[in-house]
Amino acid sequence: MLARALRLSLLLEIALYLALARFAFDASPATAALAALAGVLCLRAALLTLIYAYAWAYHSPASRLSPQQALVMVAGEYGALLFAFVLIFPFERWWMGEDRLQPAATDGAEPAGRRPPVLLVHGYGCSRAAWWWLRRRLVAAGWRVATINLEPIYTGIDDFVDPLARRVDAVLAETGAARVILVGHSMGGLVARAYLQRHGESRVAGLVTLGTPHQGSRLAHIGYGENARQMRPGGPWLQTLASPAPVVDTVVIYSSHDNFVMPQSQLQLPGVPNQAIDGIGHLAMLFSPRVAQALLAALERIGARSLAADSA
C-alpha cells in the first residue's frame, strides 16, 4: 500500500514540475526534465532542513561535531532520505523480494541448538524496504532474516501487535526455531515492546532497537496519525508501555545526533544497555556500516546467550 501511494505521489509531483516548466516558463523538454529533477531534490532538501532546525531547537547535549563532520552527517541523511523514499520504498518488490528462511533441519551444522532467526520491524511511515541494506549485511553474516510490513501505516501502534505476533509465529514455524530476535528501527522498537507486553517473552530471545523514541519525540507533535500522537513525550500510551519494562535481553542503539527523535535523551531506555553512535542521522542508521557493526555485535551476544540457555 505504501509503495503504491509513494509511486503515485512521486508521479504527480514530477508531472506538476514538468507542467510548470513547460507551460509557465516555456522550457524545452530537456530543461523541463532537469527542472523536475531539481524540484524533487530541492523539496526533500527543504524538508530535511526544517527537520534539522526542529531537532536543533530541542537537542540534548552531545559531543560537538566539527563543521566537516556535521556536513557529512547531513549529507548522509539527505542521501538516505532520497534513496529510501524516492528509489526503494516506491519499488519495494523490486528491491526486497520475498524473505527466504530455511527450515532449521536443513540449514547449518547446529540443527539442535541454532541461534534464533531475526525479525526486522520497520518504523513510522516506512515499510519492510527500510531494511534492504541491513538485511543484506545480516544475511551475509549468516543470520536468517525475516521482515514485516506494518499497515495501515498511520493507525495506532497497538494495531500492529497482532500482525507482528502472527509474523513471529510464521517465522518460527518456517525455521523450526523456538524463539526470534526482534530488531526494531524507530517506531518498530515500540511495536516490539508492545508485543512483549501483550504476548510475553516466551517466543523472543532478545530485542535490539535502533533509533527508537522510547520516551517519545517532540517531532511527533507535528506527525500524522494515531501512532504519531502515541509517540508524544509524556503521553498516556508511552506511560502504559513503560510498565513493566522488557524482561528479555535488550540492547538500545541510537544516535546522539538523531534528527527525528528529540531531545535525543528520549532515545534511551532506562535499565538496559544503551549504545550511542555519534554523527549519524535517523534514516542514515539504516545504511550505516557503524550501525551494522553494532547491530551484529548485539545479535551475536544475544544469540550466544540464547544458545547457552537452550543447552543448559
Side-chain angles (χ1 to χ4, degrees), residues 44-173:
R44 285 145 186 84
L47 175 63
L48 190 63
T49 299
L50 290 174
I51 291 173
Y52 265 111
Y54 202 82
W56 176 253
Y58 296 104
H59 74 284
S60 297
S63 58
R64 189 174 183 86
L65 299 177
S66 69
Q68 181 180 4
Q69 290 172 321
L71 181 61
V72 169
M73 177 183 69
V74 174
E77 183 71 357
Y78 179 58
L81 176 66
L82 286 176
F83 193 49
F85 285 93
V86 177
L87 295 178
I88 300 181
F89 293 177
F91 308 101
E92 173 198 316
R93 291 187 180 180
W94 295 1
W95 292 90
M96 294 296 291
E98 298 294 330
D99 293 332
R100 295 189 179 93
L101 298 171
Q102 295 298 322
T106 62
D107 187 17
E110 299 176 343
R114 315 194 37 203
R115 57 188 184 182
V118 177
L119 176 52
L120 306 174
V121 189
H122 66 79
Y124 174 82
C126 297
S127 71
R128 62 189 286 266
W131 298 107
W132 173 77
W133 191 87
L134 277 173
R135 184 178 70 167
R136 292 164 62 90
R137 268 61 192 173
L138 298 185
V139 170
W143 290 91
R144 296 170 293 171
V145 184
T147 57
I148 182 175
N149 268 334
L150 303 175
E151 295 180 337
I153 59 176
Y154 296 121
T155 189
I157 296 175
D158 290 321
D159 295 331
F160 299 136
V161 172
D162 285 343
L164 177 58
R166 291 191 292 270
R167 186 62 178 137
V168 168
D169 291 345
V171 170
L172 295 181

Side-chain angles (χ1 to χ4, degrees), residues 199-266:
H199 294 279
E201 69 280 2
S202 62
R203 316 209 84 184
V204 179
L207 168 64
V208 183
T209 67
L210 309 176
T212 291
H214 289 292
Q215 301 176 64
S217 171
R218 284 185 174 269
L219 192 64
H221 285 284
I222 60 175
Y224 177 79
E226 183 181 354
N227 45 1
R229 292 190 292 272
Q230 290 172 331
M231 290 187 283
R232 294 174 181 175
W237 190 87
L238 285 173
Q239 291 178 6
T240 300
L241 184 68
S243 181
V247 294
V248 299
D249 202 350
T250 302
V251 178
V252 170
I253 300 171
Y254 70 97
S255 169
S256 50
H257 299 93
D258 194 294
N259 54 308
F260 276 76
V261 181
M262 57 200 78
Q264 287 78 16
S265 58
Q266 306 283 69

Side-chain angles (χ1 to χ4, degrees), residues 4-20 36 40 44:
R4 190 181 307 114
L6 287 175
R7 288 196 302 269
L8 178 60
S9 63
L10 184 61
L11 179 63
L12 292 175
E13 181 186 354
I14 293 173
L16 176 61
Y17 295 144
L18 289 173
L20 285 173
V40 169
R44 285 145 186 84

